[in-house]
Amino acid sequence: MSRRSLLILALSVGVSCSTRPLAPLMSDTWARVGEMPEARLEGFGVTHRGRIYYLGGIRSKSGNDGVDEAATSDRVDIYDPLTGTWASGPTLPAESAKHHLAALVFDGKLYLLGGFDGILGSTHPFTPIAAAFVLEDQGWRRLHDAPIARGGSTAKAIDGRIYVAGGAPTEGAQ
């Protein structure tokens, strides 16, 4: 079983849809549910409108599952657990982070709140991005930048507000 299949199953457990809920995984075995269109790591998965969105990440330029010749990805792939199929979503904006993203769904909208761009060991190393976006029916809309540019943080909604915590201004920062 490939990493692509495992990721989707792990993200889809307990997802609820408007037409019918998915039963949580009740055994200790994995089941193949469909391969992602592009193998990536360090992206971010979130459930939104009954589907699983996988945002950005780092991909292999050579197309294999390794990270040799790594490159950032602006892809948004959407998995529908009711049909077992993938669709392409609106690509991440050019000025947004591409990996180690902070993302969440709040009040029915998907928010992207910074992360990193670039690849370690390249001419464009990991760079923290403060840009924030919300996905609306027309596509990504830019919001005010976060006060701190960082990657690897987490975002949660608490009492009607979105909080971004943790992260680092560069890879390897303490």
Side-chain angles (χ1 to χ4, degrees):
M1 182 176 300
S2 72
R3 285 185 293 175
R4 290 184 257 177
S5 299
L6 292 175
L7 168 69
I8 295 309
L9 182 60
L11 291 175
S12 66
V13 173
V15 174
S16 64
C17 302
S18 58
T19 55
R20 70 173 168 94
L22 293 177
L25 187 62
M26 300 305 287
S27 72
D28 59 357
T29 61
W30 291 94
R32 185 179 203 107
V33 296
E35 289 194 8
M36 294 177 66
E38 177 184 64
R40 307 190 298 279
L41 55 95
E42 304 296 359
F44 194 87
V46 63
T47 58
H48 179 50
R49 296 182 178 171
R51 292 174 177 86
I52 301 165
Y53 286 60
Y54 193 73
L55 309 165
I58 298 173
R59 64 180 176 82
S60 170
K61 287 182 188 178
S62 64
N64 64 29
D65 283 344
V67 292
D68 58 312
E69 302 179 33
T72 60
S73 176
D74 63 357
R75 288 183 67 107
V76 174
D77 291 315
I78 305 168
Y79 180 75
D80 185 337
L82 294 178
T83 64
T85 59
W86 285 96
S88 294
T91 58
L92 297 176
E95 57 276 0
S96 78
K98 303 300 185 284
H99 55 86
H100 291 87
L101 307 168
L104 81 153
V105 173
F106 172 68
D107 201 22
K109 295 181 182 177
L110 193 159
Y111 290 85
L112 176 61
L113 306 164
F116 285 128
D117 196 6
I119 297 295
L120 291 178
S122 74
T123 58
H124 182 60
F126 278 17
T127 304
I129 305 293
F133 297 86
V134 61
L135 182 59
E136 297 177 332
D137 293 331
Q138 303 81 13
W140 294 102
R141 180 172 57 90
R142 179 104 185 230
L143 303 171
H144 292 288
D145 287 357
I148 301 170
R150 57 189 161 179
S153 57
T154 189
K156 300 294 178 208
I158 303 170
D159 293 330
R161 292 179 172 224
I162 296 173
Y163 294 86
V164 180
T170 185
E171 177 67 13
Q174 298 296 323

